[in-house]
Amino acid sequence: MSTERRKVLDMLAEGKVAAGDAERLLSALAGSAGGASAGEPTDAAGSTPKLKYLRVVVDGRDGNKVNIRVPLGLLRTGIKLSAMVPAVAGERLKASGIDLSDLSSLSGDELIEELRDLKVDVDTPDGDKVRVFCE
């Protein structure tokens, strides 16, 4: 079940929304994709596929091309490793403006699920195109 659907059902259970409103919200979330957000791809079973990669694609007008595919598993590992940073190192990083303390409370799966909506498109006046998204 998606996070959004769970939130709607929780609001209904708590009496924060009426049944009709909850039904409209759930219908809007379902869209035409059978449970996925509208416009979101689904797999053969009709469920939303698991995100695997952070992608950065650059198509330069001058012919330069960049295609980076970073496994999201690295993000999960990074969150776990941040919890093992020695206190002295964490204090020095914090003094430099880098605070890792928030990372230890994150769930890698929750963060990756939030990345589902990540989409950055940049089109420059000279014709370069930059795209950042998860797939």
Side-chain angles (χ1 to χ4, degrees):
M1 178 182 304
S2 74
T3 306
E4 292 85 7
R5 288 180 56 84
R6 184 174 308 279
K7 286 179 184 176
V8 171
L9 294 174
D10 288 344
M11 289 190 306
L12 178 62
E14 295 168 3
K16 292 181 180 179
V17 296
D21 293 333
E23 183 179 16
R24 282 191 292 281
L25 289 169
L26 291 171
S27 294
L29 287 171
S32 61
S37 298
E40 194 172 310
T42 57
D43 61 15
S47 61
T48 305
K50 185 176 179 181
L51 295 176
K52 295 181 181 179
Y53 301 101
L54 172 68
R55 295 281 310 274
V56 179
V57 179
V58 179
D59 289 318
R61 188 181 68 122
D62 59 1
N64 291 332
K65 295 191 181 296
V66 175
N67 187 355
I68 301 171
R69 192 169 81 163
V70 180
L72 289 175
L74 287 176
L75 182 60
R76 286 185 193 97
T77 302
I79 290 172
K80 291 175 187 171
L81 288 176
S82 70
M84 297 189 314
V85 172
V88 174
E91 290 170 11
R92 285 190 176 173
L93 286 170
K94 197 170 189 176
S96 300
I98 301 169
D99 187 4
L100 297 178
S101 63
D102 292 337
L103 290 179
S104 61
S105 66
L106 293 175
S107 160
D109 291 334
E110 289 174 348
L111 181 59
I112 288 172
E113 190 57 35
E114 292 299 322
L115 288 174
R116 184 171 299 284
D117 296 330
L118 173 71
K119 183 177 180 189
V120 178
D121 294 330
V122 179
D123 296 314
T124 65
D126 61 351
D128 295 333
K129 295 179 187 258
V130 179
R131 308 285 180 254
V132 180
F133 57 96
C134 288
E135 61 178 18

